[in-house]
């Protein structure tokens, strides 16, 4: 609830910027993949078209295989520049600083010390053999205890409601498969992290209906980009009127990229909305332990005394963000719905993780002394300091941004740098940053409806943040020396792919 | 080529047993999911119907989600008995002996010693961060070197043709997705291990066309269950005539459950057949280092001087079988087709494996001194001894079986124990084994067209093999004391699921 827009007063932060790509009108009769507008040309929602811009490719692949490959190629195109010229303090100080990928790089020292301890390496025959595909029992018990404690569940959570797999990307894929038919959809408030589009589409052919949030605070809203039930209702009815069947709602909590932390009252409202329409709710709480601001109180959905529709409420969490280990591929589902748990478990043989990792994760999650006494306090202090540094830099630049106390990113308003306020300008600005060797993420990749918003990842070491922000300043002040690099002069599509491997 | 049927002379091993479920006729005009017959009532192929027997279930799931869950429940049903009553020498000596799951349990001592060595635990920031989804470069380089050496490739294999993921099950799923449209099919010679049905179906909705092989040696065949190009041609044309589009051929080499090792001439013939019809060939070489009989020479597809259609030839391998570590989830694709590699890589974010495991696998694969000097010789000696023991027991029982020198199983002919020669009797016999506390796999689960064949896994410790074979003997000699356990008295369907977690 502490999300407030910070920044210079002269920056117009209310009212969407003009968007030359927008068509006027208030009707919602356009087909799937088209955007819909409410009164006063305000886009209220859109039914996503994940393959807009796709052109068929290989003769060796099926048509869906070509689409799958196209997503890969597009990702590669945006990410290639960074990987070809990665910054290294010693070996490549002129390389690209990555403020685009949402990873916590602040605590490798703590993690290394813990993960090197002797309890981590266990080699037993049962770990080498085929596992229970839901995850080993010892790990599911540990996850249940861990979530009970950190989610502040009023009653102990049960191991039989836990399914363990190799990350939340896989979990989105599996849930989309088992909850939706081909072509059905999930509602998701936007801006939202862009890769979910692929997670629910590539294997499962499920779409997203974006519930557009505004930076402008209007009506009964109390903060920018506020999610309300009214907005959910409009998007749901709109999608239905377009013939798109919506099967569920995806909530990111804390939100990425906004950093929003929902209050219990808000959570209840969203869940009640879903119950009324018999929608499943997938709550992605992957940043739940990354609430670094002491004035912000996080409320897990699992902390609620009563879930409106427990059989349709499914919670996901992973160690990727909160423990800074996206490369280890560990995620988990908590659901009281036995059918959903079994169906996801059935797909888990394609999302399995090493028995060794299962042991390591159990050791980590049960070590409350280290988590509470060492890791979380230090991690939060470092996140807070890094956030303060980037916030101060943005303030000094006169760039408005959303104030938040959770997550790894700052959602910043660079609209004043887009004279015409178009997505084309947003892309050009992003290229100027990349050309000046700093990788950011632009708003269109998050389905933000207002051109000009950028996501700054701050969960990185001070020397890289410092250099990265210097390079940002150079661009914004028109002092950068962007070479006429052909890499930056050709179209980069689809825009949602440009984050690389992100969550 | 050394596959010969061994056993007592009075057992009729030629000519399929009568099958009350068979319909007469030689036409192939039945719809998908129906079996087709050639002359003299010989089934030549069938188009698989993975969901025969499915009845819709949960109101919370999509229709495909219900199917996915049904597969899980079916697996659980067959496997539950074993997991509820697992044999343990000390704690549960009356528990079930598992001769059904294809795992190598002979070398945990060797593996434990190697995997506990200090080089295995490496904790570096880059291993904790998002990986290249194709697999870390260091691992793909190691895999390329490993396959070059052990597959005897005439030229060095290239890291850029390697994609690494969490097991071959995932790889089947990904390849089905990117090579086939919904409802298309792969040819596969049968009997074959049954879980491929799910791997290509659950996410990707691809079917299998079973090319039936006979135990009877007829025409130009020189051994039982011989795969010939004629049989492939008939199945392909038959499937096409039924309106089923076939996109590829799956070869298991060494074959599971037959233990067949194809000669270079045979491989070339199969690959030429595929080339003529522009079919992809997926060659699963997961048992390639488990050739324990010195008189058997294994030839990888990658050892051939010239592949007829390299752009449509895709090889898979994993450590699950050859290194007895199915619980660690490591598999790899080798393909020269860049489009296929990229498309599979695009799906790899759902099949990712831990950075730690990638390091461990690279350490393992590069340790030729241990592999060649310690592991392989000892593993092969143990496999050979275990195979000899179970072979001898079967001979003593008068049970004919296929002689083989590769893999973990013996394909045994129990047809004489089925008075009417039906699959119902096969299932009853399987239940009698389970009731007498020994889990086997029955032929129908492998799509064997002749009722009465069973797979015996022999890659287990002597004391378990001994007890397991005692229990088999008791059943076959009518001396078992099978309790009237309700678990064994109700229908267990679908039959393909009864193996549990198998490959």
């Amino acid at each position: 609830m502490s999300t407030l827009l910070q920044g210079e007063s002269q920056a117009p932060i209310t009212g969407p910027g003009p968007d030359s790509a927008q068509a006027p009108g208030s009707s919602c009769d356009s087909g799937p993949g088209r955007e819909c507008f409410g009164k006063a040309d305000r886009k209220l929602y859109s039914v996503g078209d994940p393959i807009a811009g796709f052109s068929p490719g290989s003769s060796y692949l099926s048509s869906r295989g070509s689409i799958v490959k196209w997503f890969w190629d597009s990702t590669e195109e945006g990410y290639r520049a960074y990987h070809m010229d990665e910054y290294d303090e010693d070996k490549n100080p002129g390389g690209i600083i990555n403020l685009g990928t949402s990873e916590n790089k602040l605590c490798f020292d703590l993690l290394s010390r813990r993960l090197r301890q002797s309890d981590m390496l266990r080699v037993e025959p049962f770990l080498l053999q085929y596992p229970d595909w839901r995850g080993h029992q010892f790990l599911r018990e540990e996850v249940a205890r861990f979530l009970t404690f950190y989610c502040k569940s009023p009653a102990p959570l049960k191991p039989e409601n836990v399914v363990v797999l190799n990350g939340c990307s896989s979990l989105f894929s599996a849930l989309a498969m088992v909850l939706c038919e081909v072509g059905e959809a999930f509602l998701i408030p936007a801006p939202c992290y862009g890769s979910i589009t692929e997670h629910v589409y590539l294997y499962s052919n499920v779409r997203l209906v974006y519930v557009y949030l505004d930076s402008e605070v209007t009506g009964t809203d109390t903060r920018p980009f506020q999610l309300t039930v009214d907005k959910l209702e409009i998007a749901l009815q709109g999608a239905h009127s377009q013939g798109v069947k919506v099967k569920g709602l995806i909530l990111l909590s804390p939100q990425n990229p906004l950093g929003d932390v929902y209050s219990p009252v808000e959570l209840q409202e969203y869940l009640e909305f879903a119950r009324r329409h018999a929608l499943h709710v997938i709550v992605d709480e992957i940043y739940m332990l990354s609430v670094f601001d002491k004035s912000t109180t996080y409320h897990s959905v699992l902390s609620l005394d009563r879930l409106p529709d427990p059989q349709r409420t499914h919670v996901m969490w992973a160690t990727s963000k909160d423990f800074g280990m996206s490369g280890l591929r560990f995620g988990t589902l908590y659901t009281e719905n036995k059918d959903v748990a079994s169906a996801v478990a059935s797909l888990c043989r394609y999302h399995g993780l090493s028995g060794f990792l299962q042991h390591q994760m159990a050791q980590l999650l049960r070590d409350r002394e280290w988590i509470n006494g060492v890791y979380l306090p230090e991690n939060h202090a470092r996140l807070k300091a890094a956030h303060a540094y980037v916030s101060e830099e943005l303030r000094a630049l006169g760039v408005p941004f959303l104030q938040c106390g959770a997550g790894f990113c700052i959602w910043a308003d660079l609209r004043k740098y887009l004279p015409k306020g178009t997505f084309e300008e947003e892309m050009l600005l992003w290229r100027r940053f990349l050309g000046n060797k700093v990788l950011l993420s632009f708003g269109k990749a998050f389905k933000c409806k207002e051109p000009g918003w950028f996501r700054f990842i701050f969960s990185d070491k001070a020397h890289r943040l410092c250099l990265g922000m210097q390079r940002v300043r150079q661009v914004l002040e028109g002092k950068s020396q962007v070479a006429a690099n052909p890499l930056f002069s050709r179209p980069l599509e689809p825009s949602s792919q440009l984050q690389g491997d992100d969550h």
Side-chain angles (χ1 to χ4, degrees), chain A:
Chain A
M1 303 307 301
S2 64
T3 311
L4 294 167
L5 204 61
Q6 302 263 318
E8 58 172 0
S9 59
Q10 66 268 37
I13 57 146
T14 57
D19 182 346
S20 63
Q22 287 186 23
S26 61
S27 67
C28 286
D29 55 354
S30 50
R34 302 278 297 280
E35 291 172 334
C36 272
F37 302 88
K39 286 174 186 160
D41 289 3
R42 285 182 60 186
K43 285 188 285 185
L44 300 175
Y45 73 94
S46 82
V47 178
D49 178 6
I51 58 170
F54 166 71
S55 55
S58 166
S59 60
Y60 293 107
L61 302 175
S62 60
S63 60
R64 57 189 185 168
S66 293
I67 291 169
V68 166
K69 174 180 173 289
W70 171 73
F71 273 93
W72 174 259
D73 292 340
S74 310
T75 307
E76 283 297 283
E77 190 159 15
Y79 223 43
R80 195 178 298 140
Y82 170 62
H83 278 302
M84 277 168 44
D85 186 21
E86 206 166 322
Y87 170 83
D88 183 281
E89 196 172 5
D90 303 315
K91 295 177 201 151
N92 189 21
I96 295 170
I97 298 270
N98 182 358
L99 304 183
T101 304
S102 187
E103 291 192 293
N104 184 347
K105 296 174 186 168
L106 291 167
C107 293
F108 288 137
D109 55 335
L110 307 177
L111 290 165
S112 280
R113 276 201 292 276
R114 183 63 192 88
L115 293 168
R116 274 183 228 267
Q117 284 177 24
S118 60
D119 65 328
M120 285 291 164
L121 186 61
R122 186 181 180 200
V123 182
E124 297 289 339
F126 81 100
L127 293 176
L128 294 176
Q129 291 180 251
Y130 282 118
D132 181 333
W133 293 113
R134 294 171 296 175
H136 281 293
Q137 177 71 14
F138 68 83
L139 177 56
R140 288 185 292 120
E141 286 171 4
E142 212 54 66
V143 168
R145 277 192 286 268
F146 180 90
L147 294 179
T148 300
F149 182 81
Y150 288 102
C151 296
K152 299 187 175 59
S153 170
L157 300 174
K158 295 173 185 165
E160 60 265 33
N161 298 341
V162 172
V163 180
V164 156
L165 72 182
N166 67 344
C168 286
S169 308
S170 302
L171 192 42
F172 273 118
S173 176
L175 284 170
M177 185 79 191
V178 307
L179 299 180
C180 302
E181 311 297 347
V182 167
E184 292 183 341
F186 290 119
L187 285 183
I188 189 167
C192 59
Y193 91 86
S195 299
I196 299 182
T197 303
E198 296 144 73
H199 300 340
V200 302
Y201 184 79
L202 285 192
Y203 258 125
S204 305
N205 214 328
V206 165
R207 286 184 297 171
L208 298 177
V209 173
Y210 303 102
V211 184
Y212 286 131
L213 308 180
D214 294 291
S215 64
E216 186 182 9
V217 180
T218 56
T220 56
D221 287 6
T222 57
R223 64 183 193 274
F225 297 107
Q226 186 168 348
L227 177 63
T228 63
V229 168
D230 280 353
K231 295 173 191 174
L232 290 169
E233 290 280 4
I234 289 167
L236 178 65
Q237 301 313 327
H240 281 175
S241 73
Q242 286 181 253
V244 176
K245 183 149 190 191
V246 173
K247 278 292 187 67
L249 164 66
I250 296 173
L251 291 176
L252 314 179
S253 169
Q255 218 272 2
N256 172 11
L258 301 174
D260 257 5
V261 168
Y262 300 123
S263 72
V265 170
E266 285 177 315
L267 283 174
Q268 282 287 1
E269 285 173 3
Y270 307 149
L271 294 174
E272 279 294 346
F273 155 81
R275 189 198 54 75
R276 281 198 300 280
H277 297 286
L279 297 180
H280 291 270
V281 186
I282 298 172
V283 193
D284 176 352
E285 302 197 349
I286 199 166
Y287 290 96
M288 74 169 183
L289 296 182
S290 300
V291 182
F292 55 85
D293 179 355
K294 287 196 169 52
S295 70
T296 302
T297 306
Y298 178 68
H299 300 277
S300 166
V301 156
L302 295 173
S303 72
L304 299 178
D305 281 327
R306 195 191 59 80
L307 289 173
D309 193 354
Q311 290 296 310
R312 287 195 181 84
T313 308
H314 318 296
V315 181
M316 53 170 75
W317 181 75
T319 47
S320 302
K321 307 300 178 186
D322 286 340
F323 285 94
M325 41 178 74
S326 39
L328 297 195
R329 315 310 306 139
F330 168 79
T332 184
L333 166 70
Y334 191 87
T335 179
E336 292 183 27
N337 188 312
K338 304 290 181 211
D339 292 348
V340 173
S342 295
V344 169
S346 185
L347 293 173
C348 274
R349 64 167 62 201
Y350 313 110
H351 307 303
L353 61 168
S354 140
F356 290 172
L357 186 69
Q358 296 199 42
H359 169 72
Q360 289 160 337
M361 292 298 100
Q363 293 303 103
L364 189 85
L365 299 185
R366 75 160 53 98
D367 192 351
R368 300 287 166 76
E369 198 178 310
W370 179 78
I371 295 173
N372 296 334
V374 179
Y375 179 73
L376 285 183
E378 188 61 33
N379 185 32
H380 290 167
R382 293 179 188 183
L383 283 170
K384 193 175 165 73
H387 177 265
Y389 173 76
V390 175
S391 299
E392 199 43 57
E393 287 292 302
L394 289 171
R395 264 186 222 104
L397 279 165
V399 169
F401 59 92
L402 287 194
Q403 182 58 28
C404 76
F408 302 163
C409 69
I410 292 176
W411 189 240
D413 177 6
L414 301 183
R415 286 181 294 174
K416 66 178 171 181
Y417 298 98
L418 314 188
K420 291 187 245 162
T422 65
F423 284 114
E424 289 71 21
E425 288 176 320
E426 179 182 277
M427 177 68 90
L428 283 172
L429 179 55
W430 176 82
R431 287 222 185 91
R432 291 219 304 280
F433 286 127
L434 192 58
N436 203 41
K437 304 297 180 77
V438 57
L439 177 66
L440 293 174
S441 306
F442 53 82
K444 194 180 178 194
F446 297 83
K447 310 297 174 189
C448 185
K449 71 172 187 181
E450 304 167 9
W453 291 84
F454 281 73
R455 189 181 76 167
F456 287 69
I457 296 295
F458 61 79
S459 47
D460 204 349
K461 297 282 187 187
H463 67 279
R464 286 193 290 260
L465 287 185
C466 178
L467 189 56
M469 291 309 292
Q470 265 179 32
R471 293 174 180 178
V472 166
R473 173 182 288 272
Q474 287 165 353
V475 171
L476 294 183
E477 292 180 348
K479 294 172 185 161
S480 72
Q481 305 271 326
V482 181
N485 186 332
L487 253 179
F488 310 126
S489 59
R490 56 184 164 133
L492 288 159
E493 287 293 342
S495 55
S496 66
Q497 300 308 306
L498 289 155
Q499 315 319 300
D501 310 316
D502 203 350
H503 189 113

